[in-house]
Amino acid sequence: MAERLRLAPDATIIRLCRIRTSDKQPVYVNTKVFPANLFPDFEQTYDVRQS
């Protein structure tokens, strides 16, 4: 994945996987990948905003 993002092979990346449900059934599955150096406070910000 680092290569696809044009990062160094040992670069840290963030992988966010989400499942959205409706009536307890999965209707949407999404995986996003981000360079960690661009989002140093990713976990704290995502916890608050969910975005």
Side-chain angles (χ1 to χ4, degrees):
M1 193 51 62
E3 182 179 335
R4 293 178 106 188
L5 292 172
R6 298 183 182 160
L7 302 172
D10 61 343
T12 302
I13 58 173
I14 298 166
R15 188 172 100 185
L16 175 64
C17 301
R18 299 186 300 179
I19 299 174
R20 302 291 189 208
T21 60
S22 178
D23 294 327
K24 299 182 182 180
Q25 296 296 315
V27 294
Y28 176 79
V29 177
N30 180 275
T31 300
K32 295 183 180 186
V33 181
F34 307 94
N37 65 318
L38 296 179
F39 304 97
D41 59 345
F42 180 85
E43 287 186 51
Q44 296 82 7
T45 301
Y46 189 80
D47 281 345
V48 172
R49 296 182 182 183
Q50 294 294 298
S51 176

